[in-house]
Amino acid sequence: MKTQVAIVGAGPAGLLLGHSLRQAGIACIVVERTSQVRVESRIRAGILEATMTDLLARLGLDARLKVEGLPHDGLTLVNDGAVIPVDIVGSTGKHVTAYGQTEITRDLIDAAPAAGLDIVWEAGDVALHDVDSDHPSLTFTVDGVAQTIECDVIAGCDGFHGPSRAAIGGTYCDRAYPFGWLGVLADVAPCHHEVVYASHDRGFALASMRSPTRSRYYVQVGNDERVEDWSDDRFWDELETRLGPDIARGVTRGPSIEKSIAPLRSFVSEPMRRGRLFLAGDAAHIVPPTGAKGLNLAASDIVYLSEALIGWFARGDTAGVDGYSARALRRIWKTERFSWYLTSLMHRFPDAGPFERRMQHAELDYIATSAAAQASIAENYVGLPL
Ligand code: APR
Ligand code: PHB
């Protein structure tokens, strides 16, 4: 097979890039390791910046988002039960939208045939070759049969565990946090009209939503905790305690339809380009989920990368591809900072003493009483400019 851009991975990054390139008439093929069913059933993030909703609108892929997405004009912080509303629309003129990554993935896959976007599912042994030459290629197997794609460019959109990052041979910078999030999905009405980030002496809790009848909740847990030890009742009790009485009053309990623990980490791989290979999304960076940036950061990488590749293929302009890594990394590092800041502010760290705890209280008290502090959180939460 021959194409212009071979895209490794059919997560949000790979699918968004595929649609962006197809819209500009550039040939591309997406090669995905797992099955369509598995990709469509992954439950992940749910809060979209305008960066993401604008991109979906430009691609003409926002029909369902416009109907089912829930616009949020603000977010809510809670400090040991004290509620701190943060107005987003008032200070930025923009809002965020609650719409599940699962739904975005489905929309992008459903629209692929009409866009002429081919996706190879269940590709085994995916390997990248000759990325330093003008003729890179991708090899893999489908049903045991060896396949090769010869291309001009490879886009590594294969997430944290894919092979593309290693092919860059860059340097890594990371931090693992001494806790994870236990997440529950339940078909109950959300407890609050906005996302709630709660700091409590017993640990962090988050209240989010997927629809008016589906809620997503998380509590901070130690890295040694096991999901089997968390009955639904134990989860709801802990969640309500940490959210505090004002927010807990709105909680409707119900059976969990999904329950899992995810570790928290910050990670950046630099640079994001080597020769004809470009990284985007989780392949190059991970943020802890406090701040809801993982999916949105993949979207901004794809805006930069698709602009760069379209400039190159359509006009022979290499400025975009040459500047891609530095341009993307500037926004990535600022977003890493915000995600680390909110994580550090809202969680209990096992090695923190009374001084660190008082600093968290003081900072949250400052935020509660300062329009400037709230504006700073709002402009980061809604998404920094591209
Ligand atoms: N060959 C082909 N595909 C692969 C390979 C491989 N060897 N290894 C991994 N993949 C696929 C995965 O199966 C997955 O479908 O690459 C895809 C990567 O998708 P994500 O992990 O969702 O990463 P990305 O597209 O960058 O997502 C951006 O959304 O919810 C968030 O956590 C997610 O923050 C991330 C963001
Ligand atoms: C979610 O809805 O799953 C969600 C919301 C906000 C976050 C993280 C996750 O910061």
Side-chain angles (χ1 to χ4, degrees):
M1 288 184 266
K2 267 192 187 339
T3 194
Q4 287 174 290
V5 183
I7 300 171
V8 192
L15 293 168
L16 285 168
L17 180 63
H19 277 285
S20 303
L21 296 176
R22 289 304 304 135
Q23 191 182 54
I26 294 170
C28 53
I29 301 176
V30 180
V31 178
E32 166 59 46
R33 187 187 47 163
T34 62
S35 66
Q36 181 172 348
V37 171
R38 280 195 58 186
V39 168
E40 288 187 356
S41 61
R42 285 196 290 239
I43 295 165
R44 295 243 186 102
I47 301 296
L48 311 184
E49 292 178 355
T51 325
M52 174 61 113
T53 47
D54 289 350
L55 175 58
L56 290 169
R58 279 203 304 283
L59 294 171
L61 296 172
D62 63 343
R64 203 156 64 94
L65 167 71
K66 278 198 291 206
V67 177
E68 296 177 21
L70 305 171
H72 287 185
D73 290 348
L75 64 110
T76 299
L77 304 178
V78 179
N79 184 26
D80 277 344
V83 176
I84 309 167
V86 177
D87 181 9
I88 297 177
V89 82
S91 54
T92 69
K94 291 186 276 189
H95 59 80
V96 294
T97 307
Y99 188 71
Q101 175 171 333
T102 316
E103 310 310 319
I104 293 183
T105 309
R106 247 183 61 201
D107 295 343
L108 295 174
I109 293 172
D110 287 352
L117 178 62
D118 290 332
I119 306 171
V120 178
W121 299 105
E122 299 183 57
D125 304 322
V126 176
L128 295 77
H129 307 278
D130 304 321
V131 300
D132 290 322
S133 80
D134 291 349
H135 303 287
S137 63
L138 211 57
T139 57
F140 52 95
T141 59
V142 178
D143 294 330
V145 179
Q147 313 263 356
T148 302
I149 299 179
E150 293 171 1
C151 53
D152 297 316
V153 162
I154 299 177
C157 302
D158 43 359
F160 189 64
H161 302 287
S164 296
R165 184 173 58 249
I168 295 261
T171 54
Y172 304 157
C173 197
D174 77 334
R175 147 167 308 197
Y177 296 88
F179 42 74
W181 281 12
L182 167 64
V184 158
L185 193 66
D187 277 329
V188 292
C191 66
H192 194 64
H193 63 287
E194 297 169 351
V195 178
V196 180
Y197 293 85
S199 171
H200 189 272
D201 275 340
R202 294 181 59 84
F204 170 75
L206 170 65
S208 183
M209 65 193 72
R210 292 290 174 273
S211 77
T213 57
R214 181 168 282 191
S215 299
R216 182 71 168 151
Y217 292 111
Y218 303 89
V219 295
Q220 172 189 355
V221 294
N223 277 336
D224 53 352
E225 300 251 13
R226 298 175 331 147
V227 91
E228 304 79 65
D229 296 332
W230 283 85
S231 65
D232 284 1
D233 281 342
R234 182 180 173 202
F235 180 86
W236 292 114
D237 288 346
E238 191 64 37
L239 178 79
E240 289 186 6
T241 302
R242 296 184 189 186
L243 289 176
D246 289 350
I247 301 292
R249 204 170 296 128
V251 170
T252 307
R253 295 184 176 208
S256 61
I257 54 176
E258 199 264 350
K259 196 190 279 167
S260 57
I261 294 180
L264 266 66
R265 71 187 312 163
S266 300
F267 175 91
V268 179
S269 170
E270 302 178 275
M272 290 167 66
R273 174 196 184 184
R274 173 174 174 164
R276 294 292 182 100
L277 169 63
F278 298 83
L279 297 184
D282 273 19
H285 44 76
I286 298 283
V287 285
T290 335
K293 292 300 177 200
L295 176 61
N296 294 303
L297 212 42
S300 60
D301 286 356
I302 295 307
V303 171
Y304 297 149
L305 183 56
S306 57
E307 272 177 26
L309 292 175
I310 292 165
W312 195 20
F313 284 117
R315 302 186 299 277
D317 174 2
T318 56
V321 286
D322 289 341
Y324 168 66
S325 177
R327 187 180 183 203
L329 282 162
R330 276 192 80 185
R331 192 169 188 277
I332 289 161
W333 276 115
K334 283 180 280 192
T335 308
E336 289 282 349
R337 183 207 70 82
F338 179 65
S339 306
W340 157 84
Y341 161 75
L342 213 54
T343 302
S344 309
L345 176 65
M346 302 302 287
H347 290 76
R348 297 292 74 72
F349 285 71
D351 59 352
F355 182 79
E356 282 81 10
R357 188 75 187 107
R358 295 302 288 260
M359 290 298 99
Q360 290 179 326
H361 273 298
E363 171 108 21
L364 282 160
D365 190 23
Y366 167 59
I367 293 166
T369 53
S370 162
Q374 290 183 20
S376 170
I377 290 177
E379 76 171 344
N380 280 280
Y381 197 77
V382 84
L384 295 175
L386 284 171

